Amino acid sequence: MRKLYNSIKDINPKTRNWKVKVVVAEKTMTRTSMQSPTKYMRLILADSQGNKVQVVIFNQREIDMFDHLLHIIRTYYIHNAIVKPIKPEHRIVDNVYQWTINATTLIEEISNDDSSLSAPSFSFVPFVELHKHMDYSALVDVIAVAIDVCPARQLQTRNGSSTIQEVILIDQLLKPIILTMWDQFVTNESAAIAQIITTRPVIMAIRLKVVSHNGKLFSKKNKILA
């Protein structure tokens, strides 16, 4: 019988026959590894205490298996994912371990509202305060309405050529900001936004870097939720 743990922090590579209740806080679209043609999807799970863990699913077959099961803001029991250390440069959340979900991982959705976990909270930065974060290493979260998607174009960088695409966002004061997508974000998130741009979707963008370039320009770092 699997032991139910209350905290993500209780789970380490030596833990056996475990399960923990979590909510899906973040979920990316499918990505291709920079070092190989391997496909992967990344998620962030959170527990009732606010602890978070980075989770990855590899290979298109298993991504397809879990993509329609794991949904943002829904609560699940996760049983026996693979737990391994993750290098500091690859960490998104404050956890030294990363979980890998594969075909042997058991996932149970919790549909009882009384048992569901609260949705994670975000500290959105108003557009009028973005100048305080300009050109600093700190990353910010914003929520805004997407009103236009510019054509994609190539940009030469020190590391070669990159594809970028700019999305125009406005806040409740109709103040515009440019959100710049890079490479795979152009292929995935930007393309998804372009398909629904006529509906003026509300976009939640997290872990953005604010840089100075002809005004305020967002450099996309992690993910978009539309």
Side-chain angles (χ1 to χ4, degrees):
M1 182 175 180
R2 294 179 177 87
K3 180 179 178 180
L4 175 61
Y5 288 87
N6 294 321
S7 173
I8 285 171
K9 289 188 175 181
D10 293 332
I11 310 303
N12 62 64
K14 296 182 179 180
T15 312
R16 296 290 181 267
N17 294 322
W18 57 268
K19 70 175 180 179
V20 64
K21 185 163 68 174
V22 296
V23 62
V24 178
E26 301 177 25
K27 177 182 175 182
T28 70
M29 302 180 76
T30 302
R31 300 269 187 263
T32 301
S33 173
M34 297 180 64
Q35 290 76 31
S36 71
T38 302
K39 303 288 187 180
Y40 70 94
M41 174 184 289
R42 187 174 61 223
L43 304 96
I44 303 296
L45 306 180
D47 63 23
S48 60
Q49 301 170 14
N51 302 305
K52 295 182 179 180
V53 65
Q54 189 169 319
V55 176
V56 65
I57 305 172
F58 290 109
N59 302 317
Q60 194 63 54
R61 175 176 163 276
E62 293 185 352
I63 290 171
D64 292 340
M65 181 187 306
F66 292 104
D67 187 26
H68 299 294
L69 172 61
L70 293 166
H71 300 281
I72 292 285
I73 315 303
R74 293 190 187 176
T75 304
Y76 302 86
Y77 286 124
I78 305 291
H79 303 248
N80 289 354
I82 298 171
V83 182
K84 291 184 177 180
I86 181 172
K87 295 180 179 179
E89 60 269 26
H90 297 150
R91 293 176 196 163
I92 296 176
V93 298
D94 183 20
N95 194 321
V96 298
Y97 299 119
Q98 175 176 266
W99 297 359
T100 299
I101 290 176
N102 61 21
T104 66
T105 306
L106 179 60
I107 298 176
E108 301 176 65
E109 183 172 0
I110 303 172
S111 56
N112 187 340
D113 290 340
D114 293 336
S115 299
S116 298
L117 300 182
S118 300
S121 60
F122 297 90
S123 298
F124 296 117
V125 176
F127 282 10
V128 293
E129 296 183 9
L130 288 173
H131 66 280
K132 299 177 182 178
H133 305 273
M134 190 79 72
D135 297 320
Y136 288 95
S137 59
L139 304 180
V140 303
D141 304 336
V142 301
I143 187 167
V145 174
I147 62 171
D148 197 13
V149 178
C150 302
R153 57 190 175 89
Q154 295 296 307
L155 181 69
Q156 293 299 318
T157 68
R158 285 179 290 182
N159 298 321
S161 178
S162 289
T163 302
I164 68 170
Q165 190 165 27
E166 296 172 342
V167 179
I168 311 301
L169 307 180
I170 59 171
D171 62 5
Q172 66 272 26
L173 300 177
L174 303 183
K175 180 178 177 61
I177 289 293
I178 298 173
L179 170 64
T180 302
M181 304 284 197
W182 292 77
D183 298 321
Q184 291 197 53
F185 288 100
V186 174
T187 305
N188 297 307
E189 282 83 353
S190 187
I193 293 172
Q195 290 181 349
I196 58 173
I197 193 64
T198 57
T199 68
R200 300 295 187 263
V202 176
I203 301 298
M204 185 173 71
I206 60 178
R207 287 190 290 278
L208 301 176
K209 182 175 175 58
V210 185
V211 298
S212 178
H213 179 76
N214 295 328
K216 298 180 178 65
L217 175 68
F218 281 131
S219 176
K220 188 70 193 68
K221 288 297 180 183
N222 185 40
K223 81 182 264 78
I224 295 280
L225 302 174

